[in-house]
Amino acid sequence: MVFRGTITDAPDFDPTADAEALYSAMKGIGSDKEAILDLVTSRSNAQRQEIIAAYKSNFGQDLIDDLKYELTGKFERLIVSLMRTPAYHDAKEIHDAIKGAGTNERCLIEVLASRNNKQIHDMVAAYKDAYGRDLEEDVIADTSGHFKKMLVVLLQGTRDELGVVDADLVQQDAQDLYAAGEEQWGTDEAKFIMILGNRSVTHLHMVFDEYEKIAEMSIEDSIKNELSGDFERLMLAVVQCIRSVPMFFAKRLYKSMKGLGTADNTLIRIMISRSEIDMLDIRECFRLRYEKSLYNMIKDDTSGDYKRTLLNLCGGDDDLAGEFFPEAAQIAYKMWELSAMTRVQLRPTVRPAPNFDPAADAQALRKAMKGFGTDEDAIIDIVAWRSNAQRQEIRQAFKSLLGRDLMKDLKSELSKNLERLIIGLMLTPAEFDAKMMRKAMEGAGTDEHALIEILVTRSNQEMHAMNAAYQGAYKKSLEDAIQSDTSGHFCRILVSLVQGAREEGPADVERANADAQELADACNADSDDMVMKFMSILCTRSFPHLRKVFQEFVKCSNKDIEQIIKKEMSGDVKNAFYAIVRSVKNQPSYFADRLYKAMKGLGTDDRALIRIMVSRSEIDLFNIRKEFKETHDASLHEFIQVETMIGDTSGDYRKTLLILCGGED
């Protein structure tokens, strides 16, 4: 096994001298934390064990006890954990995960899904030695169902590690998995457990490829469809670790620092357990997936001596767009391949109301706005629970029955964000998009992010309808408005997109290879030529075709298209191309990220929040919710509840957004 850690044996190592240095650092009033962290993080784990022995021989004291006494908080947890052997560290993590009232299932999943046979055997022995108990028995007592069965299988540490592949067995396993899930009503979980828990990594790679051909979907998508709860999370973790252990940990690290607060136990556990194994690969996978170095993420999310120690374990800041390590290049290629394979069923959160009566709804809305005061609840309960087509019928009925303009009445009765949200819901999608484009360009400043988001994500049909609605409402073409408000290459990109002339249809493999080579060649041209070449391909080709182009680009250049855009381009041009790539890869994930950015930090970008919640509620908001949870480890519902409290004293705005959100994940 090739180790690609950031921590290695220190040269000219002297355990006695190190023991004396640590003793001096903890002597007297206060302790020299900097000296402690610099010494501990520049020694390998084996060397730390020698220091512990030398400390006891020289001073008759337990080094770990002294460190616990001198240090506090997260910093203490991190330093003390570094002093334990990997097996005893794993054993303690598992013990802490199952002791007491609740169980930390995510810790169990992370550790047991990612360790090899020897690491499992060493951990089981360390657990017995440290706690005088049988780890398997404790896991059985603390878990249940298929989740328990798979954990027990993993605890045996009997995965085939010879790597010999039998082509017939590959075919059989792929067929068995398909028969156990997608092909039948109900799921044969035992078959999933047996195959995923025992076969070799090499064998399973081939099984997953074969499975995709049979099922026309990835094994991950099948697991999401067929399984649920902790068992689903465990099986997905096993699959992710089979595909790439470094990518699995890159995702875990990202989630530990993203969202509401930092999951320090997860962060500490991973940084320690991988620092001598594959931290360099994890860093590269992190950069590939999140376009930000792990070093900078830790730097932004932690503080003090705790931060310094973590950064020492991380081992360095990665340039945002260098060439890949071989493993990362293969992963990037595979990610685009999976993106092309995935057939996502788009799911809305708002559907037509049953037993719909537009006349009754029109009368109820009039009643809610008549007289002194407004019944906001009644308005919300009608507008948010109807589809857009039904709302158009209500608008018409309101005018036919009452001779009044519903939009004008709503504007006069509601205010602030609630008014913007309800009016947005009452407009047709084309009218709403046209209005959002107008808002993004009116006044002194331009909201370039809004222009990009709308023009990148709309279909040709939606683009044509928006153009017509803009012309009808503002007596000016949308293209002219864009040309008046933007300039240079950014203007050209937007004008190209607003034509609604993107090709439609599947990838043309031969042409995709040629396009990929042209993009790779353009990276060596001057910046103007590069932008024009990227525009000619990214703004015109179909999304399925671009997935294949971006996949082949990795092969041509040993770089990922996203990193090239971030490194070689700047400003609005960079943001526009980057949005296209993100949408091509996974559009619900792109919107999830936009929603997160709209709500995180100081103040909420309510216009962006309203725009996305309204425009996606009848298309793919359910998928966006799932991606939000997957990426940020917090539900969209929870984020909206927390982030919209300020300034929404009555809670009506928040209530409407939560109805559109459609539920807690």
Side-chain angles (χ1 to χ4, degrees):
M1 182 178 180
V2 179
F3 291 102
R4 290 182 41 77
T6 48
I7 304 294
T8 54
D9 286 337
D12 307 319
F13 171 60
D14 182 344
T16 303
D18 283 353
E20 287 171 357
L22 287 172
Y23 184 77
S24 299
M26 293 187 280
K27 204 167 58 177
I29 298 167
S31 51
D32 185 347
K33 296 181 181 66
E34 203 165 306
I36 294 169
L37 76 87
D38 283 340
L39 192 149
V40 170
T41 57
S42 59
R43 306 292 183 269
S44 68
N45 189 274
Q47 290 176 331
R48 290 181 211 126
Q49 303 317 307
E50 291 188 56
I51 296 169
I52 290 170
Y55 194 91
K56 187 161 272 185
S57 297
N58 284 285
F59 306 109
Q61 290 168 223
D62 187 294
L63 175 54
I64 288 182
D65 287 345
D66 283 3
L67 288 167
K68 283 180 179 174
Y69 181 79
E70 290 293 332
L71 309 176
T72 57
K74 293 178 284 195
F75 179 55
E76 179 244 316
R77 259 194 343 262
L78 179 52
I79 293 293
V80 167
S81 296
L82 279 164
M83 300 308 296
R84 295 192 183 97
T85 65
Y88 279 84
H89 179 243
D90 279 350
K92 184 175 191 312
E93 290 297 300
I94 294 291
H95 180 259
D96 290 350
I98 56 181
K99 74 174 184 184
T103 305
N104 182 351
E105 290 85 3
R106 287 171 196 264
C107 172
L108 290 179
I109 290 168
E110 178 202 299
V111 174
L112 295 182
S114 63
R115 302 308 192 248
N116 63 31
N117 291 348
K118 185 179 185 308
Q119 289 169 325
I120 294 278
H121 297 153
D122 291 348
M123 175 181 64
V124 169
Y127 191 92
K128 183 78 169 176
D129 182 56
Y131 305 107
R133 301 173 64 88
D134 184 84
L135 177 50
E136 185 181 319
E137 287 176 8
D138 283 0
V139 167
I140 288 170
D142 215 63
T143 57
S144 61
H146 297 298
F147 178 57
K148 174 181 72 178
K149 289 174 193 167
M150 186 61 177
L151 290 176
V152 169
V153 167
L154 295 173
L155 272 171
Q156 305 315 299
T158 53
R159 185 179 296 286
D160 174 13
E161 291 183 341
L162 294 174
V164 177
V165 175
D166 176 340
D168 290 338
L169 186 58
V170 167
Q171 185 71 40
Q172 185 62 53
D173 281 350
Q175 195 60 57
D176 285 351
L177 285 172
Y178 181 63
E182 292 296 329
E183 199 175 40
Q184 67 175 29
W185 181 260
T187 308
D188 180 0
E189 290 87 354
K191 191 63 75 176
F192 276 82
I193 290 170
M194 189 275 288
I195 294 172
L196 295 183
N198 290 286
R199 302 288 195 253
S200 75
V201 170
T202 313
H203 177 88
L204 285 173
H205 273 291
M206 297 177 75
V207 170
F208 296 163
D209 288 344
E210 197 59 39
Y211 183 89
E212 282 167 22
K213 293 176 193 168
I214 297 168
E216 294 191 336
M217 68 168 69
S218 69
I219 187 73
E220 289 93 334
D221 286 332
S222 280
I223 288 170
K224 288 174 187 173
N225 290 342
E226 297 295 324
L227 311 179
S228 62
D230 291 322
F231 183 47
E232 177 197 344
R233 279 189 280 275
L234 174 58
M235 298 307 262
L236 285 173
V238 169
V239 170
Q240 285 168 11
C241 287
I242 294 297
R243 289 203 189 276
S244 167
V245 171
M247 182 58 85
F248 170 73
F249 281 114
K251 289 178 184 175
R252 291 283 295 152
L253 283 167
Y254 182 78
K255 286 183 184 179
S256 76
M257 291 180 279
K258 199 77 174 168
L260 304 170
T262 303
D264 292 293
N265 286 346
T266 302
L267 180 56
I268 290 169
R269 182 171 59 247
I270 298 172
M271 295 303 291
I272 289 172
S273 66
R274 310 314 294 186
S275 59
E276 293 185 40
I277 300 174
D278 53 5
M279 186 57 72
L280 288 170
D281 290 320
I282 291 169
R283 273 168 37 186
E284 189 67 10
C285 290
F286 195 97
R287 185 187 71 165
L288 162 67
R289 187 167 178 90
Y290 302 111
E291 296 84 46
K292 181 174 187 175
S293 69
L294 175 59
Y295 188 94
N296 277 322
M297 187 95 174
I298 292 169
K299 197 172 166 186
D300 293 345
D301 213 66
T302 58
S303 60
D305 296 316
Y306 175 56
K307 172 170 80 174
R308 283 204 55 203
T309 312
L310 289 170
L311 292 177
N312 285 359
L313 295 176
C314 181
D317 189 5
D318 300 299
D319 175 26
L320 275 173
E323 293 201 351
F324 285 134
F325 294 134
E327 165 138 1
Q330 290 160 17
I331 294 166
Y333 190 84
K334 191 69 184 173
M335 278 169 68
W336 281 111
E337 188 174 62
L338 282 173
S339 173
M341 284 292 307
T342 304
R343 284 159 175 72
V344 178
Q345 183 188 352
L346 298 182
R347 293 173 61 185
T349 53
V350 173
R351 291 181 170 82
N355 308 316
F356 172 59
D357 183 344
D361 283 350
Q363 296 286 5
L365 284 172
R366 176 63 188 140
K367 184 182 175 187
M369 294 184 281
K370 204 163 59 176
F372 184 71
T374 305
D375 186 350
E376 284 89 355
D377 280 337
I379 295 171
I380 293 165
D381 286 340
I382 292 171
V383 174
W385 289 103
R386 304 292 183 270
S387 69
N388 191 274
Q390 289 175 333
R391 291 183 209 121
Q392 303 318 309
E393 289 190 57
I394 296 169
R395 272 172 79 175
Q396 188 56 56
F398 200 86
K399 186 162 273 184
S400 301
L401 295 169
L402 305 165
R404 302 177 67 91
D405 187 316
L406 176 56
M407 304 299 265
K408 284 182 181 171
D409 282 6
L410 287 168
K411 283 178 184 173
S412 69
E413 294 294 329
L414 305 175
S415 62
K416 297 183 181 172
N417 285 327
L418 178 63
E419 181 221 323
R420 294 186 194 105
L421 179 53
I422 294 293
I423 293 296
L425 287 165
M426 292 304 305
L427 293 167
T428 66
E431 289 170 340
F432 181 67
D433 279 347
K435 183 175 181 180
M436 291 298 99
M437 290 294 289
R438 175 77 166 188
K439 289 286 181 189
M441 293 184 283
E442 73 182 1
T446 303
D447 184 350
E448 291 87 1
H449 287 293
L451 297 178
I452 292 167
E453 177 202 297
I454 295 168
L455 295 180
V456 162
T457 59
R458 300 313 190 249
S459 68
N460 290 345
Q461 191 179 351
E462 288 168 331
M463 209 77 81
H464 299 154
M466 174 175 62
N467 276 314
Y470 196 96
Q471 181 75 51
Y474 307 112
K475 311 306 175 207
K476 180 180 186 179
S477 80
L478 181 50
E479 183 181 325
D480 287 347
I482 289 168
Q483 287 179 324
S484 301
D485 209 65
T486 60
S487 60
H489 287 310
F490 181 55
C491 176
R492 292 187 193 100
I493 292 167
L494 297 185
V495 168
S496 173
L497 292 171
V498 84
Q499 304 310 308
R502 185 180 289 284
E503 294 167 7
E504 294 170 342
D508 176 332
V509 176
E510 196 175 324
R511 189 179 178 212
N513 287 329
D515 284 346
Q517 191 59 58
E518 283 192 38
L519 290 176
D521 293 343
C523 295
N524 301 315
D526 69 50
S527 60
D528 281 354
D529 289 346
M530 182 181 179
V531 170
M532 294 308 289
K533 177 51 69 181
F534 269 61
M535 187 176 87
S536 72
I537 293 172
L538 269 64
C539 294
T540 62
R541 307 292 196 260
S542 73
F543 275 23
H545 182 83
L546 285 174
R547 284 190 194 101
K548 188 65 181 168
V549 172
F550 299 154
Q551 183 186 2
E552 294 308 317
F553 181 83
V554 176
K555 202 180 272 186
C556 293
S557 66
N558 200 36
K559 295 180 175 74
D560 188 69
I561 192 80
E562 291 173 68
Q563 292 173 344
I564 288 296
I565 289 167
K566 295 202 84 161
K567 174 93 184 278
E568 302 296 335
M569 298 178 187
S570 61
D572 297 323
V573 169
K574 175 184 78 175
N575 293 336
F577 284 146
Y578 182 61
I580 292 171
V581 174
R582 286 292 313 277
S583 290
V584 167
K585 185 183 275 185
N586 183 338
Q587 196 164 90
S589 173
Y590 167 71
F591 278 117
D593 193 49
R594 293 284 300 141
L595 282 169
Y596 179 79
K597 285 175 179 164
M599 289 183 280
K600 73 160 192 173
L602 299 171
T604 301
D605 181 352
D606 290 293
R607 185 170 284 173
L609 181 56
I610 290 168
R611 183 175 62 246
I612 297 169
M613 295 298 287
V614 170
S615 65
R616 309 314 296 183
S617 60
E618 292 187 51
I619 301 172
D620 56 0
L621 190 51
F622 182 86
N623 307 80
I624 293 166
R625 253 172 50 191
K626 293 296 179 191
E627 292 292 340
F628 194 99
K629 177 82 171 180
E630 170 73 18
T631 306
H632 303 293
D633 238 15
S635 70
L636 178 58
H637 194 278
E638 180 187 349
F639 246 71
I640 290 169
Q641 268 190 316
V642 172
E643 299 297 331
T644 57
M645 280 182 180
I646 301 163
D648 183 32
T649 48
S650 68
D652 293 325
Y653 171 54
R654 184 166 69 253
K655 176 186 172 182
T656 314
L657 287 171
L658 292 175
I659 292 171
L660 296 179
C661 181
E664 173 69 275
D665 294 303

